[in-house]
């Protein structure tokens, strides 16, 4: 059944009332099945139906969290924000939900709001390694190098084996334009963690900045070969590398794909103009 027919089918079910003949638990179970089948719109509708069946169920914070994640994966960022915020209203001290909303705010470019959620997370749990790492990245986004370094240092104090702690330092040195120092850290991390694909993505950007286009593309090829759902940012980076290699038609395809995945339209339009 194609997506259009599925929507018609779901609509008919709702209109006939047959969805509501199913139980809360059955709708949740169906949502999992649709997620496994990568039919996210159908999974979203099942969760909404479950919430409608039992709006006062104390477990709805979990459903709202799952709903937000499904909406986020579809690029429905505003809807995901509503869902995560509703979930937090029911579980205001949930580290998972706070982390999800903080990441969403970061994706939406709402750096200050993301920072506030990470501050709340660290107030609840000062040893939250993921929150320290992501707050450090937000500091880097604002070119606040010393606070970022403090977060990565704290992360390594908590866990001296932390890959993300060292990755944070590699990204920090890249932002500071200490490219050789950054490369040393990336090479060490990849040697120790050859299947951690984020490392290749970050090193590819470093190689691009160092004008090592061939090495950048080699790292990107590894990531695209392993990642079933490449991000918009990844397509933009590969497009930039291709553009630098004068592969303009192929670069334009990557930029258009990034736009489909929700990348900033103005930025993409500027990049595509360079492919003419």
């Amino acid at each position: 059944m194609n997506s259009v027919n599925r929507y018609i089918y779901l609509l008919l079910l709702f209109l006939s009332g047959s969805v509501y003949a199913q139980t809360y638990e059955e709708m949740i179970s169906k949502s999992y099945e649709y997620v496994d089948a990568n039919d996210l719109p159908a999974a979203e509708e099942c969760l909404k139906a479950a919430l409608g069946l039992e709006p006062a169920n104390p477990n709805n914070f979990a459903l709202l969290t799952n709903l937000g994640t499904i909406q986020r994966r579809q690029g429905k960022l505003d809807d995901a924000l509503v869902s995560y915020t509703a979930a937090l209203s029911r579980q205001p001290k949930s580290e998972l939900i706070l982390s999800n909303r903080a990441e969403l705010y970061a994706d939406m470019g709402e750096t200050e709001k993301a920072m506030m959620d990470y501050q709340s997370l660290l107030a609840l749990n000062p040893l939250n390694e993921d929150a320290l790492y992501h707050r450090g990245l937000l500091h880097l986004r604002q070119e606040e190098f010393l606070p970022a370094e403090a977060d990565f240092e704290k992360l390594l104090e908590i866990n001296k084996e932390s890959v993300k702690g060292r990755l944070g330092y590699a990204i920090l040195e890249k932002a500071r334009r200490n490219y050789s120092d950054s490369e040393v850290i990336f090479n060490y991390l990849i040697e120790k963690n050859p299947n951690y694909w984020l490392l290749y993505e970050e090193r590819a950007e470093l190689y691009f900045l160092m004008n090592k286009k061939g090495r950048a593309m080699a790292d990107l090829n590894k990531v695209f070969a392993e990642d079933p759902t490449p991000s918009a940012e990844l397509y933009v980076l590969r497009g930039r590398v291709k553009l630098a290699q004068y592969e303009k038609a192929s670069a334009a395809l990557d930029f258009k794909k990034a736009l489909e995945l929700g990348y900033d339209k103005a930025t993409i339009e500027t990049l595509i103009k360079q492919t003419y």
Side-chain angles (χ1 to χ4, degrees):
M1 183 183 295
N2 63 36
S3 60
V4 173
N5 289 337
R6 184 175 298 283
Y7 279 127
I8 294 172
Y9 176 68
L10 286 170
L11 178 59
L12 289 172
L13 284 176
F14 271 99
L15 291 174
S16 66
S18 58
V19 165
Y20 289 99
Q22 299 184 68
T23 69
Y24 178 84
E25 290 78 10
E26 286 171 340
M27 295 311 300
I28 296 171
S29 179
K30 281 185 176 293
S31 76
Y32 293 145
E33 292 174 10
Y34 284 128
V35 168
D36 289 341
N38 201 33
D39 191 344
L40 298 183
E44 180 181 1
E45 292 304 323
C46 285
L47 287 177
K48 288 179 178 178
L51 290 164
L53 283 166
E54 297 188 21
N57 192 303
N59 294 321
N60 280 349
F61 75 91
L63 269 63
L64 286 162
T65 303
N66 290 343
L67 178 61
T69 299
I70 288 170
Q71 290 166 331
R72 182 180 171 192
R73 287 176 60 186
Q74 295 178 84
K76 299 178 178 179
L77 302 189
D78 290 333
D79 291 344
L81 178 58
V82 171
S83 297
Y84 284 149
T85 301
L88 271 174
S89 71
R90 291 161 171 77
Q91 291 284 325
K93 294 186 178 181
S94 169
E95 292 185 39
L96 173 62
I97 305 172
L98 271 170
S99 179
N100 284 340
R101 192 175 70 171
E103 289 181 17
L104 176 62
Y105 273 136
D107 289 346
M108 298 173 75
E110 298 279 3
T111 302
E112 290 300 328
K113 292 179 180 179
M115 190 74 77
M116 289 175 63
D117 275 353
Y118 283 124
Q119 302 283 36
S120 298
L121 263 172
L122 290 165
L124 290 169
N125 179 9
L127 304 183
N128 188 311
E129 296 180 29
D130 190 64
L132 283 167
Y133 171 72
H134 284 287
R135 188 176 69 175
L137 294 183
L138 288 177
H139 282 306
L140 285 181
R141 182 182 290 185
Q142 296 177 309
E143 297 188 349
E144 298 168 351
F145 296 149
L146 290 179
E149 185 172 9
D151 278 343
F152 300 142
E153 183 177 351
K154 178 65 175 178
L155 183 48
L156 288 171
E157 285 178 8
I158 295 169
N159 176 12
K160 65 180 181 180
E161 302 299 326
S162 171
V163 174
K164 284 190 172 180
R166 288 184 171 83
L167 172 58
Y169 268 105
I171 297 172
L172 172 63
E173 295 305 331
K174 179 169 60 175
R176 285 172 164 165
R177 300 186 180 182
N178 296 329
Y179 295 151
S180 295
D181 292 341
S182 181
E183 184 180 11
V184 168
I185 301 172
F186 277 123
N187 290 344
Y188 169 81
L189 288 172
I190 288 173
E191 181 182 353
K192 298 293 184 181
N193 308 273
N195 296 321
Y196 189 7
W197 305 112
L198 177 60
L199 297 173
Y200 293 92
E201 180 178 347
E202 290 289 348
R203 189 175 69 173
E205 183 187 43
L206 172 67
Y207 281 144
F208 177 62
L209 293 171
M210 297 172 76
N211 201 32
K212 296 180 178 180
K213 298 182 285 292
R215 292 187 181 184
M217 188 58 72
D219 277 352
L220 286 170
N221 287 339
K222 290 177 182 176
V223 178
F224 273 91
E226 296 295 331
D227 189 346
T229 56
S231 66
E233 290 76 15
L234 200 57
Y235 277 105
V236 168
L237 177 57
R238 190 173 70 173
R240 288 181 186 273
V241 176
K242 288 178 178 178
L243 194 57
Q245 294 177 319
Y246 303 103
E247 299 175 14
K248 293 186 176 182
S250 185
L253 292 176
D254 276 347
F255 295 145
K256 290 175 182 177
K257 182 62 178 179
L259 183 61
E260 290 176 12
L261 294 173
Y263 205 85
D264 179 68
K265 184 177 180 181
T267 301
I268 294 298
E269 288 176 348
T270 300
L271 288 170
I272 288 179
K273 286 179 181 178
Q274 298 177 46
T275 66
Y276 295 159

